Amino acid sequence: MADTKREIERKYEGPPAGGDAPLPDLTDVPGVSGVIDKGVAELDATYYDTADQRLATASLTLRRRTGGDDAGWHLKLPVSEGVRDEIRAPLSDTVPEDLTALVRSRIREAELVPVVRLLSARDIRHLVDASGTLLAEVSVDRVRAERLSGGAGSAEWTEIEVELADDGDPAFLDKVEKKLRKAGIKRSASASKLAKALDDTAPRKPEKAEKAEKTEKAEKAGKAETAGKPGKAGKAGTTGKVADVSKATTKAAKPEPPDSTPRTAGDHILTYARAQRDAIVELDPAVRRDVPDSVHRMRVATRRLRSTFRSYGKILDRTVTDPIGVELKWLAAELGVDRDQEVLTEHLTTALDDLPSDLVTGPVQARLSTWSGARRSGSRQHLIAVLDGKRYLDLLTTLDTLVAGPPLREAASKKPEKVIAKAVRKDFEKVADLVGEALELPPGSERDLAMHDARKKAKRTRYAAEAATPALGDPAADLVKSMKSLQTLLGDHQDSVMVRGALRELATEAHEAGENAFTYGVLYGRAEQRAAAVEAELPGEWEAIEDKGAV
């Protein structure tokens, strides 16, 4: 079974391989009382990636390493600058399935092959405080890199690595760096050994090819101002055909970064859509690892993207995006199986904890735990199966294709102040209609459904305003806040509806088991009161929002 270690480190350049790599006296670093020489470890690491280096492009590294005190398979996932989560698995001849699953959103169906071998002589020193507690490990690595695929180059270099001890204060690394800088030692230009190895061992291009590449880059830069303008593919203005999800290939398209600062309406919407595509792919490993809030964040990204397609149909051709929206709705629903159960359990647990002890009769807590555990266990297994399935992987590939060749319409080339603002106002008007309808209905199931519909539309309007904020500024940002407030209020109401449904189910199970169902009735009544309070608050909340208006 793989385990995880949070790695916080910094890398520095050493002198050329074969030369001296002296370190300054690190006992002068504040807090350091001793520097312990731990000897030299011989490390042999083979790095795996796809033939087109999809992991390296995403700053992920996967290796099989022998030597040292942590031999095994290591997958490193970026968290922030200088911070990575290292997922470890025992040594084996093939890539462990646990680690393959964590990179599946990147590699899809592509094969993982050896790309680089690194042989390192690691001279290790431990920095300790007065009590002998480890503060950081400093190593001087003499590295030889050998290209295993995509060429046969080799390279050698020396680098210095400073890794913070577990649970250490990251500020300590600043103190060490200050000492190193005074000694003339500077940060490495490469983010990792693998990145440097791939650069230094890459086949050299002929001079003519290099000139052609520079010319191509210059031409692309010159065309940047036209980014977001529709192509000449008829009225729909598609610049690239997006494959139907059901026919999507399993080959991943490389993500295309934006060419320049967004200028047109199409630029702004594509920037937002691309960010949501990236979020879905990047959150996949966290969802598989059951990282807190990861399922919710991934579900929000799918909803944001689907809402973008629906709100900005004047910019992105809906004959292309609607089928993709159907698949995004499916993915959000699959993610919701797990998330909704999690939220519902939290609400029920909190409600039970808030009850005075004399109102709790029977094994209510035990029944709630059993009920929740059984449902979440099944939904968790189902979710992993979804992420491993062809339908999900095809969707990711289709999203890659869409952002690489977006189906832009004529309005995409226009100024955002006009096109985007009109789309946001249209969404706001729909929210107004739905809230008005809900307020006219008497309390009951019809009003519950109407308020739920208004909540969903408020959420869509919020996402449309988010996409519009870089172009429209404060008015769009203010609308985001208004819709978030409305969404929260209506969400509290919907939570009450869901809680009451769960309580009816629990009460029935308890009754059939011969248990006292009194407590479930008390909790039901309290949930009903919360719903009534929201319904009483809604008219005033909506009046304040209407006074502010849309963008």
Side-chain angles (χ1 to χ4, degrees):
M1 179 66 70
D3 61 277
T4 304
K5 179 182 183 298
R6 176 61 57 89
E7 181 184 81
I8 303 176
E9 65 180 19
R10 296 180 187 178
K11 296 182 183 295
Y12 302 87
E13 294 182 359
D20 294 330
L23 288 170
D25 182 4
L26 298 176
T27 57
D28 291 345
V29 175
V32 175
S33 294
V35 178
I36 302 174
D37 189 341
K38 304 297 288 186
V40 178
E42 299 294 336
L43 308 176
D44 186 346
T46 299
Y47 288 77
Y48 286 71
D49 204 338
T50 60
D52 54 358
Q53 297 178 12
R54 298 177 196 175
L55 299 187
T57 300
S59 299
L60 277 67
T61 61
L62 174 62
R63 72 186 179 204
R64 181 187 187 275
R65 190 168 79 180
T66 58
D69 58 4
D70 63 346
W73 286 90
H74 306 148
L75 171 64
K76 298 193 178 188
L77 306 173
V79 177
S80 58
E81 184 179 359
V83 182
R84 294 185 293 184
D85 278 342
E86 183 177 271
I87 319 297
R88 298 176 176 178
L91 277 176
S92 61
D93 293 335
T94 57
V95 182
E97 178 55 35
D98 285 353
L99 300 189
T100 301
L102 292 177
V103 297
R104 189 158 286 133
S105 67
R106 300 288 183 181
I107 67 172
R108 315 293 160 80
E109 298 300 326
E111 182 183 5
L112 289 169
V113 297
V115 291
V116 167
R117 183 185 184 189
L118 297 184
L119 300 170
S120 304
R122 169 164 289 182
D123 190 356
I124 305 169
R125 295 165 178 79
H126 282 182
L127 307 186
V128 298
D129 63 15
S131 66
T133 300
L134 179 65
L135 299 172
E137 179 177 284
V138 180
S139 63
V140 179
D141 295 346
R142 292 178 173 83
V143 186
R144 175 177 173 77
E146 299 173 356
R147 191 87 171 202
L148 301 178
S149 66
S154 63
E156 295 184 7
W157 71 89
T158 301
E159 71 177 36
I160 298 167
E161 185 177 291
V162 183
E163 181 175 349
L164 190 68
D166 294 345
D167 301 320
D169 182 0
F172 178 71
L173 294 181
D174 294 332
K175 299 175 182 178
V176 177
E177 179 162 315
K178 184 177 181 180
K179 184 67 175 179
L180 295 177
R181 285 187 177 276
K182 285 183 178 180
I185 298 172
K186 60 181 181 180
R187 288 273 195 109
S188 174
S190 299
S192 66
K193 286 185 177 67
L194 176 62
K196 182 171 178 58
L198 290 172
D199 287 341
D200 290 357
T201 65
R204 291 187 176 278
K205 297 178 181 177
E207 188 175 342
K208 288 184 178 180
E210 286 189 356
K211 288 183 178 179
E213 185 175 322
K214 289 181 181 179
T215 301
E216 183 181 355
K217 288 182 179 179
E219 289 176 351
K220 285 184 178 180
K223 294 177 181 178
E225 291 187 6
T226 64
K229 294 184 178 180
K232 300 179 179 180
K235 268 191 172 181
T238 54
T239 60
K241 186 177 180 181
V242 178
D244 185 89
V245 174
S246 63
K247 300 178 182 178
T249 65
T250 56
K251 182 179 179 182
K254 284 190 175 181
E256 293 290 336
D259 291 325
S260 63
T261 301
R263 292 181 175 83
T264 66
D267 290 339
H268 281 279
I269 300 311
L270 285 175
T271 296
Y272 187 77
R274 187 178 291 111
Q276 307 319 313
R277 185 281 311 269
D278 291 348
I280 293 170
V281 173
E282 291 167 5
L283 283 165
D284 180 289
V287 171
R288 293 174 185 270
R289 293 163 56 204
D290 205 14
V291 174
D293 203 40
S294 59
V295 171
H296 172 62
R297 291 165 59 202
M298 188 174 185
R299 191 183 187 192
V300 167
T302 65
R303 285 174 164 173
R304 280 175 167 149
L305 189 52
R306 179 168 175 258
S307 293
T308 299
F309 292 160
R310 298 180 70 185
S311 295
Y312 294 105
K314 294 292 185 181
I315 295 172
L316 293 170
D317 185 359
R318 288 193 60 173
T319 63
V320 175
T321 61
D322 277 357
I324 303 174
V326 170
E327 296 303 288
L328 289 168
K329 182 179 181 180
W330 160 78
L331 178 57
E334 295 290 4
L335 291 165
V337 171
D338 201 46
R339 172 62 181 172
D340 290 346
Q341 182 61 36
E342 180 183 338
V343 171
L344 187 55
T345 300
E346 288 176 359
H347 283 304
L348 288 168
T349 301
T350 300
L352 183 59
D353 290 343
D354 289 343
L355 274 186
S357 58
D358 59 342
L359 294 181
V360 179
T361 60
V364 181
Q365 183 63 63
R367 177 162 295 282
L368 174 58
S369 297
T370 301
W371 174 82
S372 175
R375 287 167 174 261
R376 188 159 198 277
S377 176
S379 63
R380 180 73 194 161
Q381 293 171 5
H382 176 74
L383 178 57
I384 297 302
V386 166
L387 298 183
D388 286 336
K390 186 176 185 299
R391 184 176 182 179
Y392 167 70
L393 297 178
D394 284 352
L395 172 57
L396 296 185
T397 298
T398 300
L399 294 178
D400 288 343
T401 306
L402 181 132
V403 298
L408 299 172
R409 300 185 66 193
E410 184 177 351
S413 62
K414 296 181 179 179
K415 292 183 179 181
E417 292 81 1
K418 180 178 180 181
V419 179
I420 293 179
K422 184 177 180 180
V424 174
R425 284 195 294 271
K426 185 177 180 180
D427 276 349
F428 182 81
E429 290 168 2
K430 290 179 180 178
V431 174
D433 290 342
L434 288 172
V435 171
E437 290 175 14
L439 291 174
E440 290 176 359
L441 292 170
S445 59
E446 286 190 23
R447 173 180 270 195
D448 291 345
L449 289 173
M451 291 179 71
H452 184 46
D453 287 341
R455 173 177 175 257
K456 290 189 290 185
K457 189 63 68 176
K459 191 181 299 184
R460 174 174 157 183
T461 305
R462 172 189 169 187
Y463 297 153
E466 283 180 353
T469 297
L472 305 182
D474 289 344
D478 290 342
L479 183 58
V480 170
K481 294 177 182 178
S482 294
M483 290 298 99
K484 186 176 181 180
S485 177
L486 178 63
Q487 177 189 330
T488 299
L489 184 65
L490 295 175
D492 289 343
H493 186 274
Q494 179 62 16
D495 287 343
S496 169
V497 173
M498 298 300 294
V499 164
R500 281 178 279 164
L503 287 169
R504 281 193 295 269
E505 182 180 335
L506 285 163
T508 299
E509 292 179 1
H511 178 74
E512 292 175 350
E515 298 167 7
N516 192 322
F518 169 77
T519 300
Y520 303 105
V522 173
L523 292 173
Y524 188 99
R526 289 192 167 199
E528 203 167 38
Q529 288 178 343
R530 283 195 295 275
V534 170
E535 293 176 17
E537 186 180 347
L538 180 59
E541 175 78 10
W542 179 245
E543 183 178 355
I545 291 173
E546 271 196 314
D547 287 344
K548 292 179 182 178
V551 295

PDB file of all heavy atoms in Angstrom, residues 290-302:
ATOM      1  N   ASP A 290      -8.688  10.542  -1.642  1.00  0.00           N
ATOM      2  CA  ASP A 290      -9.689  10.945  -0.655  1.00  0.00           C
ATOM      3  C   ASP A 290      -9.210  12.130   0.178  1.00  0.00           C
ATOM      4  O   ASP A 290      -9.461  12.215   1.381  1.00  0.00           O
ATOM      5  CB  ASP A 290     -10.047   9.774   0.269  1.00  0.00           C
ATOM      6  CG  ASP A 290     -11.446   9.930   0.871  1.00  0.00           C
ATOM      7  OD1 ASP A 290     -12.207  10.774   0.369  1.00  0.00           O
ATOM      8  OD2 ASP A 290     -11.748   9.225   1.849  1.00  0.00           O
ATOM      9  N   VAL A 291      -8.527  13.065  -0.475  1.00  0.00           N
ATOM     10  CA  VAL A 291      -8.090  14.290   0.195  1.00  0.00           C
ATOM     11  C   VAL A 291      -9.318  15.123   0.542  1.00  0.00           C
ATOM     12  O   VAL A 291     -10.219  15.288  -0.292  1.00  0.00           O
ATOM     13  CB  VAL A 291      -7.136  15.095  -0.715  1.00  0.00           C
ATOM     14  CG1 VAL A 291      -6.801  16.444  -0.092  1.00  0.00           C
ATOM     15  CG2 VAL A 291      -5.864  14.300  -0.989  1.00  0.00           C
ATOM     16  N   PRO A 292      -9.415  15.641   1.773  1.00  0.00           N
ATOM     17  CA  PRO A 292     -10.593  16.421   2.166  1.00  0.00           C
ATOM     18  C   PRO A 292     -10.924  17.532   1.172  1.00  0.00           C
ATOM     19  O   PRO A 292     -10.035  18.247   0.709  1.00  0.00           O
ATOM     20  CB  PRO A 292     -10.189  16.993   3.537  1.00  0.00           C
ATOM     21  CG  PRO A 292      -9.218  15.990   4.079  1.00  0.00           C
ATOM     22  CD  PRO A 292      -8.445  15.496   2.877  1.00  0.00           C
ATOM     23  N   ASP A 293     -12.182  17.655   0.841  1.00  0.00           N
ATOM     24  CA  ASP A 293     -12.746  18.698  -0.018  1.00  0.00           C
ATOM     25  C   ASP A 293     -12.408  18.522  -1.504  1.00  0.00           C
ATOM     26  O   ASP A 293     -12.858  19.302  -2.333  1.00  0.00           O
ATOM     27  CB  ASP A 293     -12.301  20.088   0.442  1.00  0.00           C
ATOM     28  CG  ASP A 293     -13.246  21.183  -0.012  1.00  0.00           C
ATOM     29  OD1 ASP A 293     -14.466  20.953   0.026  1.00  0.00           O
ATOM     30  OD2 ASP A 293     -12.779  22.266  -0.419  1.00  0.00           O
ATOM     31  N   SER A 294     -11.615  17.502  -1.858  1.00  0.00           N
ATOM     32  CA  SER A 294     -11.213  17.352  -3.256  1.00  0.00           C
ATOM     33  C   SER A 294     -12.400  16.998  -4.154  1.00  0.00           C
ATOM     34  O   SER A 294     -12.504  17.495  -5.286  1.00  0.00           O
ATOM     35  CB  SER A 294     -10.110  16.303  -3.389  1.00  0.00           C
ATOM     36  OG  SER A 294     -10.539  15.042  -2.891  1.00  0.00           O
ATOM     37  N   VAL A 295     -13.287  16.136  -3.675  1.00  0.00           N
ATOM     38  CA  VAL A 295     -14.462  15.756  -4.475  1.00  0.00           C
ATOM     39  C   VAL A 295     -15.333  16.984  -4.738  1.00  0.00           C
ATOM     40  O   VAL A 295     -15.792  17.214  -5.862  1.00  0.00           O
ATOM     41  CB  VAL A 295     -15.275  14.658  -3.764  1.00  0.00           C
ATOM     42  CG1 VAL A 295     -16.604  14.427  -4.475  1.00  0.00           C
ATOM     43  CG2 VAL A 295     -14.484  13.354  -3.713  1.00  0.00           C
ATOM     44  N   HIS A 296     -15.542  17.769  -3.699  1.00  0.00           N
ATOM     45  CA  HIS A 296     -16.349  18.984  -3.849  1.00  0.00           C
ATOM     46  C   HIS A 296     -15.723  19.940  -4.864  1.00  0.00           C
ATOM     47  O   HIS A 296     -16.419  20.473  -5.744  1.00  0.00           O
ATOM     48  CB  HIS A 296     -16.488  19.671  -2.492  1.00  0.00           C
ATOM     49  CG  HIS A 296     -17.135  21.020  -2.550  1.00  0.00           C
ATOM     50  ND1 HIS A 296     -18.421  21.203  -2.989  1.00  0.00           N
ATOM     51  CD2 HIS A 296     -16.653  22.257  -2.256  1.00  0.00           C
ATOM     52  CE1 HIS A 296     -18.725  22.494  -2.950  1.00  0.00           C
ATOM     53  NE2 HIS A 296     -17.669  23.149  -2.525  1.00  0.00           N
ATOM     54  N   ARG A 297     -14.429  20.152  -4.786  1.00  0.00           N
ATOM     55  CA  ARG A 297     -13.751  21.085  -5.690  1.00  0.00           C
ATOM     56  C   ARG A 297     -13.799  20.597  -7.142  1.00  0.00           C
ATOM     57  O   ARG A 297     -13.992  21.383  -8.067  1.00  0.00           O
ATOM     58  CB  ARG A 297     -12.306  21.290  -5.239  1.00  0.00           C
ATOM     59  CG  ARG A 297     -12.183  22.068  -3.926  1.00  0.00           C
ATOM     60  CD  ARG A 297     -10.794  21.943  -3.339  1.00  0.00           C
ATOM     61  NE  ARG A 297      -9.781  22.425  -4.237  1.00  0.00           N
ATOM     62  CZ  ARG A 297      -8.497  22.067  -4.189  1.00  0.00           C
ATOM     63  NH1 ARG A 297      -8.099  21.173  -3.292  1.00  0.00           N
ATOM     64  NH2 ARG A 297      -7.627  22.574  -5.039  1.00  0.00           N
ATOM     65  N   MET A 298     -13.642  19.300  -7.315  1.00  0.00           N
ATOM     66  CA  MET A 298     -13.708  18.757  -8.671  1.00  0.00           C
ATOM     67  C   MET A 298     -15.125  18.876  -9.233  1.00  0.00           C
ATOM     68  O   MET A 298     -15.327  19.204 -10.412  1.00  0.00           O
ATOM     69  CB  MET A 298     -13.266  17.300  -8.672  1.00  0.00           C
ATOM     70  CG  MET A 298     -13.114  16.686 -10.051  1.00  0.00           C
ATOM     71  SD  MET A 298     -12.425  15.013  -9.915  1.00  0.00           S
ATOM     72  CE  MET A 298     -12.223  14.589 -11.647  1.00  0.00           C
ATOM     73  N   ARG A 299     -16.106  18.651  -8.380  1.00  0.00           N
ATOM     74  CA  ARG A 299     -17.494  18.772  -8.810  1.00  0.00           C
ATOM     75  C   ARG A 299     -17.818  20.217  -9.186  1.00  0.00           C
ATOM     76  O   ARG A 299     -18.504  20.472 -10.189  1.00  0.00           O
ATOM     77  CB  ARG A 299     -18.405  18.301  -7.682  1.00  0.00           C
ATOM     78  CG  ARG A 299     -19.860  18.124  -8.073  1.00  0.00           C
ATOM     79  CD  ARG A 299     -20.674  17.736  -6.860  1.00  0.00           C
ATOM     80  NE  ARG A 299     -22.036  17.386  -7.201  1.00  0.00           N
ATOM     81  CZ  ARG A 299     -22.998  17.232  -6.306  1.00  0.00           C
ATOM     82  NH1 ARG A 299     -22.747  17.387  -5.015  1.00  0.00           N
ATOM     83  NH2 ARG A 299     -24.216  16.907  -6.677  1.00  0.00           N
ATOM     84  N   VAL A 300     -17.306  21.159  -8.427  1.00  0.00           N
ATOM     85  CA  VAL A 300     -17.528  22.574  -8.733  1.00  0.00           C
ATOM     86  C   VAL A 300     -16.911  22.925 -10.081  1.00  0.00           C
ATOM     87  O   VAL A 300     -17.503  23.669 -10.879  1.00  0.00           O
ATOM     88  CB  VAL A 300     -16.938  23.463  -7.617  1.00  0.00           C
ATOM     89  CG1 VAL A 300     -16.884  24.922  -8.062  1.00  0.00           C
ATOM     90  CG2 VAL A 300     -17.772  23.344  -6.344  1.00  0.00           C
ATOM     91  N   ALA A 301     -15.720  22.401 -10.366  1.00  0.00           N
ATOM     92  CA  ALA A 301     -15.074  22.679 -11.653  1.00  0.00           C
ATOM     93  C   ALA A 301     -15.913  22.166 -12.818  1.00  0.00           C
ATOM     94  O   ALA A 301     -16.040  22.839 -13.849  1.00  0.00           O
ATOM     95  CB  ALA A 301     -13.677  22.066 -11.690  1.00  0.00           C
ATOM     96  N   THR A 302     -16.515  20.977 -12.669  1.00  0.00           N
ATOM     97  CA  THR A 302     -17.357  20.450 -13.742  1.00  0.00           C
ATOM     98  C   THR A 302     -18.593  21.318 -13.920  1.00  0.00           C
ATOM     99  O   THR A 302     -19.032  21.566 -15.053  1.00  0.00           O
ATOM    100  CB  THR A 302     -17.783  18.995 -13.454  1.00  0.00           C
ATOM    101  OG1 THR A 302     -18.613  18.946 -12.287  1.00  0.00           O
ATOM    102  CG2 THR A 302     -16.577  18.105 -13.236  1.00  0.00           C
TER     103      THR A 302
END
